[in-house]
Amino acid sequence: MASITKLRHLFKLSFKNPLTNNWDQLYYKDITQAKSALATHQYIENCKKINSDDWKKVYTQTKKEKTIAEVFDSYQKNFLVNKTNHGTIKRRNVAIRSLYRVYEEGTVVSNIRKKKVHGVKGWQLYKDFYQHLSRRTVNGYLTEIGHMFRWAKETQVIECDVISKHDLYTKDELQPILHKEWKPNEVIALKKHLNLTEYQRDFLNLYILTGLRVSELLGHNYDDPDKEFNWDNVDFARNILYVQVKRSKIRLARAVHQDVMNILVKWKGLGFKKPLDFNYGWIRNNILPSICMTLGFTFTMHDLRRL
C-alpha cells in the first residue's frame, strides 16, 4: 500500500507505479500535498485490485527527475559499496553530505544550477556557503561531488550535466601554496637541539631519513587499517621497510639508512608494540606541538619531506 514517511525536511510518498508495478517515490515539502497524492495512489491501488480502468482517469505518467537524495543513495549502493579504499569512501561521503547544508535532500538535481538566492545562483551558492574554508578545500569537495554526478549520468540515473570544471575555482582564483623554507639554523636545531628528548630526536630522524609520509609509518590508521605499519613490516637483516605508499594497494620495499634501523632496534628492545603505536591525531595534538615549542619555530610533518 502507498504510504508517507517523514524525513528531515520532507515527506516521502512511496507507491507502486500502476504502469510498471514497481515501487517508486515522490517527495513533498508540504504534508497536505503529500496526503493528497497519497489519496490518489490509494484510489489507484483499489481500482487495480478490482480490475477497473478508472485509475487511468486520475493518473498521468510524467517523467520523474531524480533528487539529490536519490542519486546519493544510488551512488552509495551501486558504486561506493564496491570500493575498498576507506579513505576514498569517507572523502566522497563527507563531500556529498556537504551538499545537504546548501541544498535540501529533495532538491531535483537539474534545479541545482537554477536555484537562486539574492542574485546568487547555482554552485556559487555552495562556494559562498563554504567561504570560511580554503578555496582548494572547496574545490576538493566539488571534485568529489562531480565524480558522483558524472557516474549518475554515465549510468543513466540522470540525463543532465549537474557540475562541470567551470564550477570550480580557477587557477587564478586560488590562493598560492606557501611551502616552508627551511633556514640553516632550523635544520641544525632539528638534529642537535639540547632540549629535545631522545625519543623526539629519534622520531624526527625516522621521518627525515626515510622521507616517508606520516601515515605510512603509523601503527594506527582507522581509515585504512591495511596500511598500518607493524614490526612484521621491518626486515632487520636487510635494512628494508615494507610500506604502503600513496596510491599503492601493495606494500613496497624501501631500503633505509642504518641510523633508521638503529632507532627501530632500540624501540623494539624497549618493548614497543609497534614502531609508532598511535594515529596521526596523537602526532598532530601532542608530539609535534611539543617539539615545535621546544625548538621555537613551527613546521608540519610534511615539511620534513622537503629537507
Side-chain angles (χ1 to χ4, degrees):
M1 292 289 290
S3 62
I4 294 175
T5 304
K6 189 179 186 309
L7 303 179
R8 186 166 53 181
H9 301 298
L10 299 168
F11 297 93
K12 181 177 75 172
L13 171 65
S14 300
F15 62 94
K16 274 197 173 183
N17 186 310
L19 296 178
T20 65
N21 210 35
N22 293 326
W23 281 99
D24 209 341
Q25 296 85 36
L26 289 172
Y27 295 83
Y28 299 90
K29 292 183 180 180
D30 184 6
I31 184 61
T32 302
Q33 292 178 327
K35 286 182 176 179
S36 175
L38 174 64
T40 298
H41 283 282
Q42 287 176 334
Y43 172 77
I44 291 172
E45 289 173 348
N46 290 329
C47 288
K48 298 272 287 184
K49 285 180 181 178
I50 61 174
N51 294 319
S52 169
D53 287 337
D54 286 349
W55 63 269
K56 295 179 181 179
K57 299 176 182 177
V58 297
Y59 181 81
T60 55
Q61 174 75 353
T62 57
K63 187 172 182 61
K64 180 174 169 287
E65 294 191 80
K66 296 293 183 181
T67 64
I68 294 175
E70 290 174 310
V71 174
F72 187 14
D73 182 63
S74 181
Y75 185 70
Q76 286 181 311
K77 292 178 178 177
N78 298 286
F79 181 83
L80 283 184
V81 69
N82 299 316
K83 290 295 179 183
T84 57
N85 188 311
H86 298 283
T88 298
I89 296 171
K90 180 179 179 180
R91 199 167 55 249
R92 295 275 167 91
N93 281 329
V94 168
I96 295 168
R97 282 197 299 269
S98 72
L99 276 174
Y100 294 153
R101 299 190 67 190
V102 185
Y103 310 101
E104 294 181 348
E105 296 180 18
T107 301
V108 173
V109 294
S110 61
N111 289 337
I112 292 178
R113 286 187 176 281
K114 301 173 186 176
K115 184 175 180 179
K116 191 173 183 179
V117 179
H118 303 307
V120 180
K121 63 181 294 188
W123 289 107
Q124 188 59 46
L125 288 169
Y126 182 93
K127 291 191 281 189
D128 285 354
F129 185 88
Y130 290 107
Q131 60 183 324
H132 61 286
L133 301 178
S134 78
R135 290 186 172 186
R136 293 182 187 276
T137 298
V138 174
N139 267 8
Y141 283 166
L142 290 174
T143 299
E144 301 292 350
I145 292 167
H147 287 313
M148 177 187 72
F149 284 125
R150 278 190 290 277
W151 170 87
K153 184 179 180 184
E154 290 170 4
T155 56
Q156 299 181 338
V157 174
I158 60 176
E159 296 182 349
C160 60
D161 290 315
V162 182
I163 186 171
S164 75
K165 64 180 182 179
H166 302 293
D167 295 308
L168 278 66
Y169 288 109
T170 59
K171 188 175 181 180
D172 62 339
E173 294 173 334
L174 296 173
Q175 305 92 332
I177 298 177
L178 301 177
H179 297 302
K180 179 176 178 60
E181 295 183 9
W182 287 97
K183 300 174 183 177
N185 63 305
E186 292 177 336
V187 177
I188 294 172
L190 288 174
K191 302 284 289 183
K192 298 183 177 181
H193 198 289
L194 297 177
N195 291 332
L196 286 175
T197 66
E198 180 181 354
Y199 180 81
Q200 288 174 331
R201 191 174 290 109
D202 288 342
F203 174 82
L204 289 171
N205 283 333
L206 181 69
Y207 279 104
I208 292 171
L209 294 174
T210 61
L212 292 169
R213 290 178 173 82
V214 62
S215 64
E216 292 163 1
L217 290 175
L218 292 178
H220 295 272
N221 189 324
Y222 304 127
D223 291 333
D224 195 355
D226 292 336
K227 195 174 183 177
E228 294 178 352
F229 188 72
N230 302 287
W231 288 120
D232 291 341
N233 306 129
V234 182
D235 186 336
F236 289 98
R238 297 193 297 159
N239 287 22
I240 288 177
L241 306 183
Y242 293 93
V243 294
Q244 188 173 330
V245 299
K246 189 174 182 179
R247 298 190 181 90
S248 174
K249 293 187 178 296
I250 61 172
R251 291 188 179 273
L252 303 177
R254 288 288 186 267
V256 296
H257 193 277
Q258 183 59 46
D259 286 351
V260 172
M261 300 308 298
N262 292 341
I263 292 170
L264 295 174
V265 168
K266 181 198 302 184
W267 288 353
K268 189 170 179 62
L270 290 171
F272 290 10
K273 292 182 179 179
K274 298 181 179 183
L276 297 175
D277 194 16
F278 39 75
N279 61 15
Y280 179 69
W282 184 256
I283 295 178
R284 182 188 62 229
N285 299 326
N286 296 277
I287 296 178
L288 191 59
S290 177
I291 291 175
C292 290
M293 183 177 294
T294 299
L295 295 177
F297 58 86
T298 61
F299 60 92
T300 67
M301 291 299 297
H302 204 73
D303 288 331
L304 296 176
R305 303 186 73 226
R306 301 189 179 97
L307 286 168

